[in-house]
Amino acid sequence: MNLQHHKNLITENGFTVIDKIFSDEEIEKISEVIQNIDTSKETFRKSEDLFAIRQFLKEIPEVKKLIFNENLKTIIKEIFGEKYFVVKSIYFDKPEKSNWYVAYHQDLTISVDKKLEIEDFGPWTTKQNQFAVQPPLNILENIFTIRIHLDDTDENNGALKIVPKSHAKGIYRPQTIDWNSETETICNVEKGGIMIMKPLLLHGSNRTTNGRKRRVIHIEFSDMELPEELNWSERMKPI
């Protein structure tokens, strides 16, 4: 596992894929924990098209030691840095019949514990009693996202499509993409593999066409403190 190579790819292209971070047995254990949870809480969203758990690591603490195995802890330390901590975690399950299409976008908000009037923070949104805000660009540029794949994912079941290098262009409105100069890449990830990406990387996904599910654990990391009285809503050290 040449982590310096992956670190260079993230800096240059905004993303990288690393296979075989979790064994089949580890994925099975994580899946079992998720299957046995009480899904009635308000941080859980369940419909025919999607099952999602916000504040995933907070809601299901017993999954934490399974997710932060030695491979993942090494990656966080070597690629991100010693001081990085979790700031957001979500579990997504796109069921077999789900035909979701996600348009190109950047991840422009962070989850925080309260709403405050702070210069350069905004606009604000509230979802299921959670506050989200668009912070200044330097905070977004500091974040790394890890997407852990519990299933094989390719272009037939909604793998992420991305625009390489778009993370380095600041806020980039999808409608202004110049396809004469930009290219699209599909990020196939094997079960047990991870994709690491920068939130400002333009990304989206197509509809599923092969009737296979796609379960992903999405975890964001930062090493920055927020100003004034504002706190990350899910701040947590990797084990």
Side-chain angles (χ1 to χ4, degrees):
M1 199 159 60
N2 183 347
L3 294 185
Q4 186 58 50
H5 170 67
H6 288 292
K7 189 173 183 176
N8 295 344
L9 286 175
I10 297 165
T11 302
E12 190 179 331
N13 296 327
F15 75 102
T16 193
V17 172
I18 313 178
D19 291 321
K20 298 181 173 57
I21 298 306
F22 296 88
S23 67
D24 286 350
E25 187 186 8
E26 287 174 313
I27 293 294
E28 194 54 44
K29 282 182 181 165
I30 292 169
S31 302
E32 274 175 27
V33 171
I34 293 167
Q35 277 158 13
N36 293 328
I37 55 176
D38 168 13
T39 59
S40 62
K41 296 183 181 179
E42 62 179 19
T43 45
F44 298 4
R45 177 179 159 195
K46 198 160 192 176
S47 68
E48 274 184 30
D49 275 351
L50 177 73
F51 175 45
I53 305 171
R54 293 179 180 279
Q55 302 202 14
F56 176 63
L57 296 172
K58 230 184 210 180
E59 292 288 0
I60 311 171
E62 60 269 37
V63 86
K64 196 177 165 190
K65 65 180 185 300
L66 300 172
I67 285 172
F68 291 106
N69 67 5
E70 288 309 314
N71 284 341
L72 202 68
K73 286 192 285 190
T74 301
I75 284 166
I76 293 164
K77 196 168 80 173
E78 299 290 327
I79 295 183
F80 305 171
E82 296 268 6
K83 295 179 179 167
Y84 270 75
F85 46 85
V86 174
V87 295
K88 184 189 284 187
S89 61
I90 310 172
Y91 168 76
F92 291 109
D93 178 355
K94 268 193 183 178
E96 296 87 335
K97 295 187 175 64
S98 168
N99 232 351
W100 251 33
Y101 163 81
V102 181
Y104 267 112
H105 65 285
Q106 295 173 302
D107 292 339
L108 295 176
T109 63
I110 59 171
S111 295
V112 293
D113 64 337
K114 62 177 86 67
K115 184 174 180 181
L116 289 174
E117 291 306 316
I118 302 180
E119 195 179 347
D120 296 329
F121 279 73
W124 289 80
T125 58
T126 310
K127 259 190 213 166
Q128 294 163 312
N129 293 330
Q130 287 190 76
F131 299 104
V133 64
Q134 184 170 324
L137 195 60
N138 67 312
I139 292 176
L140 291 173
E141 288 173 339
N142 171 261
I143 292 171
F144 288 92
T145 299
I146 293 181
R147 294 168 58 88
I148 300 166
H149 284 248
L150 305 185
D151 304 290
D152 288 328
T153 311
D154 60 24
E155 68 275 10
N156 299 312
N157 67 330
L160 275 197
K161 51 183 186 179
I162 58 97
V163 179
K165 304 184 192 301
S166 54
H167 69 298
K169 300 183 179 183
I171 307 297
Y172 191 160
R173 299 297 170 198
Q175 57 270 29
T176 66
I177 299 172
D178 178 4
W179 289 113
N180 293 316
S181 60
E182 302 285 20
T183 55
E184 176 177 285
T185 298
I186 305 286
C187 296
N188 295 350
V189 186
E190 294 175 3
K191 172 184 172 182
I194 66 170
M195 176 183 176
I196 303 175
M197 61 178 274
K198 300 296 285 178
L200 292 175
L201 185 75
L202 277 165
H203 59 286
S205 61
N206 293 330
R207 291 182 170 86
T208 300
T209 57
N210 65 0
R212 291 170 61 183
K213 68 191 325 189
R214 189 199 78 173
R215 295 167 300 158
V216 173
I217 297 166
H218 169 116
I219 309 176
E220 296 177 17
F221 300 82
S222 175
D223 67 352
M224 290 180 77
E225 302 300 340
L226 298 175
E228 298 184 36
E229 303 296 305
L230 204 58
N231 299 297
W232 301 97
S233 66
E234 289 179 67
R235 184 185 178 127
M236 184 182 293
K237 280 297 279 182
I239 290 175

